[in-house]
Amino acid sequence: MPYKILDKKELAMNEVWYKIHAPHVAKKVQPGQFVIVRAFPNGERIPLTPVTWDREEGWITLITFVRGKTTMRMANELKPGDEILNVAGPLGNPAPMEKFGRVLAIGLITGIVEVFPIARAWQEIGNEVTTLHVSPNPMVILREEFEQSVSRHIVEGFDLQPGWGMNEIAQELVKRATAKVRELLENEHFDMVLTVGPAGGQKAIFNVVKEYGIPMHADLHPIMVDATGMCGACRVTVGGEVKFACIDGPGFDAYKVDWDELIHRTGFYAPLERLALEHYLKQLQAQGGEQ
Amino acid sequence: MAVRRKLIKERVPTPEVPVEERIKSFVEVNLGYDFASAVKEAERCLQCPVEYAPCIKGCPVHINIPGFISKLVEYRDNPDKAVREALRIIWNDNTLPAVTGRVCPQEDQCEGVCVMGKVGDPINIGKLERFVADYARKHGIEEELLCEFEERCTGELGKVAVVGAGPAGLTAAGELAKMGYKVTIFEALHKPGGVLAYGIPEFRLPKEILDQELAKLKRLGVEIRTDHVVGRTVTIEELLQEYDAVFIGTGAGTPKLLNVPGILLDRIYSANEFLTRVNLMKAYEFPEYDTPIAIGKKTIVIGAGNTAMDAARSALRLGSEVTIAYRRGREDMTARIEEIKHAEEEGVKFEFFLQPVEFIGDENGRVKAVKFEKMRPLDERDARGKRKIVGTGEYVTLEADTVIIAIGLEPNRIITETPGLKTNTNGTLVVDENLMTSIPGVFAGGDAIRGEATVILAMGDGKKAAKAIHEYIQAKRKANA
């Protein structure tokens, strides 16, 4: 059953925002939960997180980072008024809603999208929330939304240097994130840390947080297919047990996660992902040639 | 006066696509009967009286088998009429014959108890059922009959919600629609069919056939809402407020994984993930289809049920050498005989009495071998009637760059988190003799109550539950009147 795209815009470099009519999700979704989207008949299923929603009007908003074929194809081919084939959800468990006290919620690049609903809800129930967005400057998003929703919003941005690839960006990201987190933890007291972002970055932050002994909640991003617990593609080791992130998570106690294993498994399909993207870019070129 | 007929011991064979051709693609292996051969096979049937025909009792949905077979013989000079009459009889009990004719383990059901089986080959009931369904579809006969059945499907008797669009749910929905209920199915995936959509490969059940069977249900007034995960999108309690009754057919979709070292290495798949990527997402057509699948040159499939055969034969078609490793012996395998035969013909190798104890990875975290303990059988049998085995203390290591684990499935957990819904220790739902759960008005069937079983048992439950739901709703109406 198709879901109409009510609005769409490019928020920043490679960051695309969609407002989608999906009343079944809007009615039920809680902070920390996600949806599975399939946009095209021959498309794959990808997990995305509702950033905002209106239960009465029946819409949700999603922000995608254009990082491969599916997200690029969505960015290129979908227009307001078009329909997305499938939006399943809400999926996963809601984030815990407790009064922790002073919270530091960290989003790495597009991970900040998932931080938003959780941080806002935590603030609303009486926590003092500081949000930290570590990102290349051209990809900084949601600044105003955060400033209006939490106690303090910090943007740790950096410029992209000519010739940088994903590796260099990731290195800079980790360097900036760990330095900033260390600075904050050194000077202030926090009762809880939340992280969302690439597994490598989350692990680096965890290693800092661990030194201060502060509880940490991490939203994990393993590969998913059905996201209803029936395949185990998203399995992670937590506290020595195999867990399925889609039904047992996506949020877990960072102290119990086997980070190296998660980092490894996330890169499983990298060569095929590149192939899919190249295939799509070739198709685009061929189309361009015909016109 | 009854004519004494000659017994024809051997069944009329059905043609199959040659091995060398079929292992290169996912085309359907068995081509089925044409009318002439179907009639010839139908003539072998002894026409046991309906009251005691063992085949009818052996069929979980109790199709009038001699009844539909007799129509093929009776109207042998008018194929369209023969098929129309046969299909009408089948549809009374089973709205998905093109599916069941293909995927039922007939040797354990209708054909297993066929009287002819005692003197020769049992009647090829599955292939005859399939023939009737396929011919009817191709020749517009199904369309005529649908119009006839549509009139019965008024939707006036009440509203029923069905959770899960697998064999149990689809059957319950079809039966309830025929009784006159308005049925809405809630399905978590983007495509209905359950295991028929994501589990069973094209070479056994072409997706086109499934789609047509589903379209037929829609014609009977059944609405299917995909992308709805009951337990998250909507709860059972909420459904009860809107519907007169609920049927849970959520299956057993959670894969069991081996609790041995190395389970998280790359290229170790659960059979469910592997088959979902291949069947539902068409990863074998990557990159035309977006979903990738990574498979190497040597695959080991662990397990010997139908899921293992499906995974092995799919991996073979993706270009891998495939070995099935099973902890028991050849005679203990639970897969259908036909599937084992097909797998062997296609070049799948079998290793018996091997129990995995470790997955060994290379420096890149990818699986490169599986270490097994050699097992030996005992004379005892376990509670399920399976031969017990013990370790010998001897080990063997087989190379593999892909491993698919097909050792079984457990019920889905999302649904069992419903407050007030009682479950057994193995996660299956507790039901009474009418398939009603611990929540009044909520019924359940199929793998959700049995654990991993078969398509046709799920369909049998769906049918039984439909009847119980009808009685429940009508009794409630009377009580409230």
Side-chain angles (χ1 to χ4, degrees):
Chain A
M1 37 180 75
Y3 306 89
K4 197 170 184 179
I5 300 172
L6 303 171
D7 202 357
K8 176 196 172 192
K9 60 189 167 196
E10 204 166 328
L11 293 185
M13 188 181 97
N14 289 341
E15 304 275 5
V16 187
W17 175 88
Y18 302 85
K19 180 176 171 183
I20 297 164
H21 181 70
H24 65 305
V25 176
K27 198 173 158 191
K28 276 297 173 63
V29 62
Q30 301 289 338
Q33 291 187 302
F34 62 97
V35 293
I36 284 277
V37 169
R38 193 179 69 112
F40 307 102
N42 59 348
E44 58 180 342
R45 293 164 64 94
I46 60 165
L48 293 170
T49 301
V51 194
T52 56
W53 49 83
D54 188 308
R55 301 207 195 280
E56 275 171 23
E57 291 180 16
W59 51 259
I60 59 171
T61 62
L62 303 170
I63 297 173
T64 65
F65 170 41
V66 179
R67 65 173 289 274
K69 179 180 177 184
T70 296
T71 45
M72 181 179 282
R73 202 173 159 199
M74 286 172 70
N76 284 350
E77 296 176 19
L78 297 175
K79 303 179 298 295
D82 286 350
E83 286 174 336
I84 284 184
L85 290 178
N86 302 97
V87 180
L91 297 162
N93 293 307
M97 282 301 135
E98 289 169 41
K99 273 185 88 164
F100 301 106
R102 296 197 79 231
V103 177
L104 175 60
I106 307 156
L108 304 174
I109 317 184
T110 319
I112 200 66
V113 165
E114 285 179 56
V115 169
F116 183 74
I118 302 174
R120 183 169 68 170
W122 279 355
Q123 181 80 29
E124 275 170 13
I125 61 169
N127 291 291
E128 188 190 331
V129 179
T130 297
T131 44
L132 168 63
H133 186 196
V134 189
S135 169
N137 281 320
M139 297 170 68
V140 169
I141 50 171
L142 299 176
R143 189 193 288 258
E144 273 174 41
E145 288 82 352
F146 271 103
E147 283 169 358
Q148 288 162 13
S149 309
V150 296
S151 298
R152 177 176 49 160
H153 183 59
I154 305 167
V155 175
E156 176 71 15
F158 55 91
D159 289 327
L160 295 170
Q161 304 302 323
W164 271 11
M166 284 308 283
N167 280 344
E168 288 78 10
I169 297 173
Q171 278 166 21
E172 184 68 12
L173 185 78
V174 166
K175 200 176 94 190
R176 297 278 183 148
T178 48
K180 191 69 193 174
V181 169
R182 187 175 292 283
E183 180 196 316
L184 285 163
L185 298 187
E186 198 57 46
N187 296 310
E188 296 176 38
H189 168 77
F190 288 97
D191 300 292
M192 170 59 102
V193 175
L194 163 74
T195 57
V196 186
Q202 291 200 74
K203 182 195 167 190
I205 293 171
F206 168 68
N207 284 334
V208 175
V209 172
K210 192 168 64 174
E211 289 176 34
Y212 294 84
I214 303 166
M216 178 170 151
H217 181 91
D219 260 17
L220 307 187
H221 289 184
I223 290 164
M224 289 189 184
V225 183
D226 64 283
T228 58
M230 55 157 258
C231 83
C234 66
R235 61 190 185 268
V236 289
T237 306
V238 180
E241 283 179 51
V242 174
K243 299 274 183 192
F244 292 1
C246 70
I247 52 172
D248 299 315
F252 290 100
D253 178 350
Y255 286 79
K256 295 187 174 163
V257 172
D258 185 328
W259 288 102
D260 292 334
E261 190 182 76
L262 175 69
I263 291 166
H264 177 75
R265 280 184 64 84
T266 312
F268 185 15
Y269 286 105
L272 289 170
E273 283 166 3
R274 271 197 299 279
L275 205 121
L277 184 59
E278 280 163 20
H279 180 78
Y280 178 60
L281 292 174
K282 263 186 217 150
Q283 279 179 338
L284 282 184
Q285 273 173 354
Q287 279 168 18
E290 282 164 22
Q291 279 166 9
Chain B
M1 202 181 102
V3 182
R4 195 181 160 84
R5 281 194 310 201
K6 191 175 149 229
L7 292 184
I8 304 162
K9 288 184 183 173
E10 279 172 22
R11 58 168 54 170
V12 179
T14 46
E16 290 179 353
V17 178
V19 171
E20 39 309 340
E21 206 175 302
R22 75 193 194 219
I23 55 170
K24 289 183 206 133
S25 79
F26 280 74
V27 293
E28 189 171 22
V29 168
N30 193 295
L31 298 168
Y33 285 130
D34 57 18
F35 185 69
S37 48
V39 170
K40 229 169 131 193
E41 178 66 14
E43 280 177 331
R44 294 178 60 232
C45 174
L46 300 175
Q47 288 295 319
C48 304
V50 169
E51 305 80 58
Y52 79 74
C55 57
I56 301 180
K57 291 199 183 78
C59 167
V61 295
H62 308 307
I63 297 172
N64 178 357
I65 293 163
F68 94 76
I69 289 181
S70 72
K71 297 295 175 193
L72 295 177
V73 180
E74 189 179 341
Y75 300 110
R76 59 184 311 153
D77 298 328
N78 184 347
D80 283 12
K81 179 156 187 168
V83 167
R84 186 183 308 112
E85 297 309 313
L87 188 64
R88 188 179 278 132
I89 290 171
I90 294 173
W91 271 11
N92 272 326
D93 298 296
N94 176 16
T95 40
L96 308 167
V99 171
T100 50
R102 287 174 164 83
V103 306
C104 276
Q106 285 98 0
E107 65 268 24
D108 298 327
Q109 315 272 4
C110 54
E111 294 176 19
V113 290
C114 170
V115 173
M116 274 301 290
K118 298 199 177 11
V119 290
D121 295 334
I123 305 301
N124 201 343
I125 300 166
K127 295 291 191 297
L128 287 175
E129 181 189 28
R130 168 185 160 171
F131 164 76
V132 170
D134 288 357
Y135 183 100
R137 182 160 289 144
K138 242 180 268 162
H139 293 80
I141 294 161
E142 182 173 287
E143 185 58 32
E144 287 169 41
L145 264 190
L146 262 176
C147 296
E148 207 176 283
F149 272 75
E150 262 176 329
E151 285 173 26
R152 281 162 65 177
C153 301
T154 57
E156 284 166 356
L157 276 190
K159 284 168 73 182
V160 180
V162 169
V163 184
L170 294 175
T171 304
E175 294 300 308
L176 286 160
K178 282 189 288 180
M179 287 176 200
Y181 288 90
K182 174 82 193 81
V183 182
T184 307
I185 304 182
F186 295 83
E187 166 58 39
L189 291 175
H190 61 268
K191 199 175 163 186
V195 73
L196 308 173
Y198 72 75
I200 298 177
E202 292 257 0
F203 52 79
R204 283 216 285 141
L205 175 65
K207 298 300 159 236
E208 199 190 339
I209 300 278
L210 174 63
D211 290 344
Q212 286 160 344
E213 294 282 50
L214 291 166
K216 202 173 70 192
L217 274 188
K218 287 183 192 169
R219 280 281 298 277
L220 299 181
V222 175
E223 184 197 344
I224 304 181
R225 287 189 202 161
T226 54
D227 309 320
H228 280 64
V229 185
V230 172
R232 302 245 199 251
T233 313
V234 58
T235 64
I236 297 284
E237 287 137 309
E238 286 164 332
L239 290 178
L240 272 179
Q241 285 162 20
E242 202 185 324
Y243 296 88
D244 298 305
V246 176
F247 175 75
I248 300 176
T250 45
T254 304
K256 287 186 202 164
L257 294 171
L258 288 156
N259 191 17
V260 302
I263 187 73
L264 276 102
L265 288 167
D266 281 358
R267 291 196 180 172
I268 298 182
Y269 288 96
S270 74
N272 255 19
E273 180 187 352
F274 179 78
L275 290 171
T276 299
R277 284 179 183 273
V278 171
N279 297 325
L280 186 71
M281 308 310 296
K282 290 208 173 202
Y284 61 89
E285 292 193 26
F286 179 87
E288 294 309 321
Y289 278 71
D290 292 342
T291 304
I293 189 131
I295 187 157
K297 296 262 176 289
K298 271 192 170 175
T299 300
I300 289 182
V301 177
I302 295 171
N306 288 314
T307 310
M309 298 305 143
D310 286 342
R313 297 173 67 199
S314 297
L316 195 92
R317 283 160 170 76
L318 293 169
S320 193
E321 259 178 49
V322 184
T323 302
I324 284 184
Y326 183 41
R327 60 189 180 139
R328 291 193 169 85
R330 175 174 287 274
E331 60 274 40
D332 302 300
M333 290 198 284
T334 54
R336 290 191 60 193
I337 294 162
E338 185 179 0
E339 304 315 323
I340 297 171
K341 187 189 104 196
H342 281 151
E344 281 182 327
E345 285 170 1
E346 290 166 8
V348 173
K349 290 186 213 103
F350 290 79
E351 292 279 352
F352 296 103
F353 295 109
L354 291 185
Q355 165 107 316
V357 291
E358 189 186 351
F359 298 107
I360 301 161
D362 64 13
E363 63 282 3
N364 299 317
R366 179 186 285 179
V367 70
K368 67 169 186 188
V370 186
K371 185 179 173 189
F372 294 93
E373 181 173 8
K374 291 186 181 173
M375 311 300 283
R376 69 179 171 81
L378 298 175
D379 284 338
E380 293 166 65
R381 297 198 170 256
D382 67 13
R384 287 181 304 165
K386 286 189 172 181
R387 205 144 55 128
K388 281 190 183 171
I389 43 169
V390 285
T392 60
E394 275 180 69
Y395 295 88
V396 58
T397 299
L398 300 181
E399 271 179 49
D401 52 17
T402 310
V403 172
I404 303 170
I405 300 175
I407 58 164
L409 300 162
E410 292 169 345
N412 290 343
R413 266 182 284 156
I414 297 177
I415 198 79
T416 57
E417 287 165 9
T418 301
L421 201 56
K422 278 199 193 125
T423 54
N424 297 303
T425 46
N426 63 359
T428 55
L429 299 174
V430 174
V431 289
D432 66 14
E433 67 281 5
N434 292 318
L435 299 182
M436 188 149 88
T437 65
S438 51
I439 304 176
V442 179
F443 296 76
D447 286 4
I449 64 166
R450 296 170 178 276
E452 194 185 4
T454 61
V455 167
I456 191 67
L457 284 177
M459 293 180 64
D461 288 348
K463 188 170 174 184
K464 189 176 164 195
K467 202 162 157 265
I469 287 168
H470 172 62
E471 282 160 14
Y472 168 84
I473 294 176
Q474 296 314 315
K476 216 168 108 181
R477 289 269 151 80
K478 261 188 208 149
N480 292 341

